Amino acid sequence: DAGVTQSPTHLIKTRGQQVTLRCSPKSGHDTVSWYQQALGQGPQFIFQYYEEEERQRGNFPDRFSGHQFPNYSSELNVNALLLGDSALYLCASSSKGAGGTETQYFGPGTRLLVL
Amino acid sequence: AQSVTQLDSHVSVSEGTPVLLRCNYSSSYSPSLFWYVQHPNKGLQLLLKYTSAATLVKGINGFEAEFKKSETSFHLTKPSAHMSDAAEYFCVVSDSQGWGKLIFGQGTELSVKP
């Protein structure tokens, strides 16, 4: 049973560019959440997708957007990249669209470097 | 608002000695609490979770945590450290009244000396 997968593993972009990160959830999961982890920090919640809709959003600007596909996979898009967007981006999946008691399983992350 | 505070940014122990990683939480209602571990250049792995069942929660790799409502604490312990336990540990509270947004502490780096 494959766990949560993310692609690419590493990415280098320049300021002002746009980037798309991808996530496939664990088999049987229908909810995908995205987190940003800056160096030396704990992950910060970006947003969560369920039934192809953004259900909850953290304190991130509109430059961060996402999408969920009918097969539950998800994309995170970041426009107009800033140096401060350099971070590890983590995807987590959970099941049943439930709330806070469901365990979220994390992928290995995509490390983004903005130059 | 919910939050967690990890009281130590770095803990160093010798192999074979006990591990204690401290976490305090703040929540307006009964929280769901988790401990995750992150090895270098890896994603996050769930160690254990508390969701208002037994207050002593057993996890993987010999770790356990005790939920103490009176102290608003959820400390992580292990009787005997192993070299492979060296990693970053995160105490996490879930927004259980919403859709399960996870709120992370700042992390505790555990070093294990031979």
Side-chain angles (χ1 to χ4, degrees):
Chain A
D1 176 27
V4 181
T5 60
Q6 293 186 243
S7 63
T9 56
H10 294 81
L11 208 49
I12 299 175
K13 292 286 187 179
T14 56
R15 280 177 297 174
Q17 285 190 311
Q18 179 263 344
V19 68
T20 297
L21 310 181
R22 295 176 177 82
C23 171
S24 291
K26 185 176 168 66
S27 178
H29 287 183
D30 59 7
T31 303
V32 173
S33 301
W34 287 92
Y35 295 81
Q36 181 196 65
Q37 185 178 19
L39 201 60
Q41 306 281 326
Q44 299 285 318
F45 175 77
I46 303 174
F47 43 52
Q48 183 182 89
Y49 276 83
Y50 171 66
E51 292 188 340
E52 302 180 47
E53 297 284 335
E54 182 184 292
R55 182 162 69 174
Q56 190 176 14
R57 188 178 184 91
N59 188 26
F60 279 80
D62 291 345
R63 298 186 297 109
F64 289 77
S65 63
H67 188 79
Q68 186 179 34
F69 299 93
N71 67 353
Y72 308 121
S73 66
S74 177
E75 288 182 349
L76 164 66
N77 301 292
V78 187
N79 295 322
L81 284 167
L82 304 173
L83 295 179
D85 295 331
S86 296
L88 180 67
Y89 288 84
L90 294 162
C91 169
S93 73
S94 53
S95 64
K96 301 178 185 177
T101 61
E102 290 293 322
T103 298
Q104 294 186 28
Y105 294 86
F106 284 82
T110 293
R111 188 164 296 281
L112 172 65
L113 178 61
V114 182
L115 301 175
Chain B
Q2 294 169 291
S3 65
V4 289
T5 302
Q6 293 184 243
L7 301 175
D8 306 291
S9 59
H10 185 258
V11 170
S12 182
V13 300
S14 296
E15 191 174 21
T17 65
V19 174
L20 170 63
L21 305 183
R22 299 182 296 165
C23 172
N24 287 348
Y25 70 90
S26 174
S27 178
S28 304
Y29 33 80
S30 184
S32 293
L33 293 161
F34 307 79
W35 277 97
Y36 281 87
V37 61
Q38 186 174 38
H39 289 92
N41 300 313
K42 296 285 182 67
L44 292 156
Q45 181 184 20
L46 178 70
L47 280 178
L48 50 81
K49 73 174 186 180
Y50 166 79
T51 54
S52 73
T55 56
L56 183 61
V57 183
K58 294 190 182 299
I60 62 171
N61 300 334
F63 285 95
E64 63 181 37
E66 186 172 9
F67 173 74
K68 291 187 176 180
K69 185 176 180 180
S70 61
E71 299 177 9
T72 62
S73 69
F74 190 58
H75 301 335
L76 181 70
T77 61
K78 182 173 181 177
S80 176
H82 191 273
M83 295 297 292
S84 61
D85 294 328
E88 188 86 16
Y89 291 79
F90 292 97
C91 182
V92 183
V93 64
S94 171
D95 177 19
S96 54
Q97 296 298 303
W99 298 112
K101 172 180 86 171
L102 297 182
I103 300 160
F104 285 76
Q106 287 294 94
T108 298
E109 183 183 359
L110 175 65
S111 299
V112 182
K113 298 175 289 187

